[in-house]
Amino acid sequence: MNTQITIEGKRLGIQLSRRAEQALSQRQTPLITEMELYFSCLVRKQVRFHEGADNLPGESVAVNDRLRVRFRPVMTQSCHVDEIAGKAPPLTDFPVVNAAAFVPHWLRIDYRNGQWRGEFGYC
């Protein structure tokens, strides 16, 4: 499935593999897909999948009745070497003035070996 949604006034192309479409069709509740752009010592892109939206800050956009997508720029209070080793400190939302400038152009979602996988990009 290929579709588009609008986040922060910017179009986002979404590609779902057939495996992802099949896994979504089995769901009773929406899967929340979060595109996280992490600002700290380095910039990191990561796609996170959440089973429920009850404890998530911010809004998500419905792709359909089983998939919602959100963009979340985050940062840390300080920069530590531990972050690079994979032990990230608690995150806080990054107050981006023009969020549309940072919203990705595309998002790809797959489901392999019982795990959701995703990537996003700007070109």
Side-chain angles (χ1 to χ4, degrees), residues 15 25 33 48 51 58 69 78 81 84 100 108 110:
Q15 297 176 334
S25 72
T33 303
R48 298 182 184 276
E51 292 298 324
V69 174
S78 61
V81 175
I84 298 168
R108 292 187 188 116
D110 194 9

Side-chain angles (χ1 to χ4, degrees), residues 61-82:
V61 176
V63 175
N64 57 38
D65 61 340
R66 294 195 169 114
L67 178 64
R68 297 187 68 82
V69 174
R70 62 188 246 124
F71 174 65
R72 185 176 181 214
V74 296
M75 66 180 191
T76 57
Q77 295 288 343
S78 61
C79 180
H80 298 284
V81 175
D82 289 346

Side-chain angles (χ1 to χ4, degrees), residues 54-65:
D54 297 339
N55 61 348
L56 295 177
E59 297 287 323
S60 60
V61 176
V63 175
N64 57 38
D65 61 340

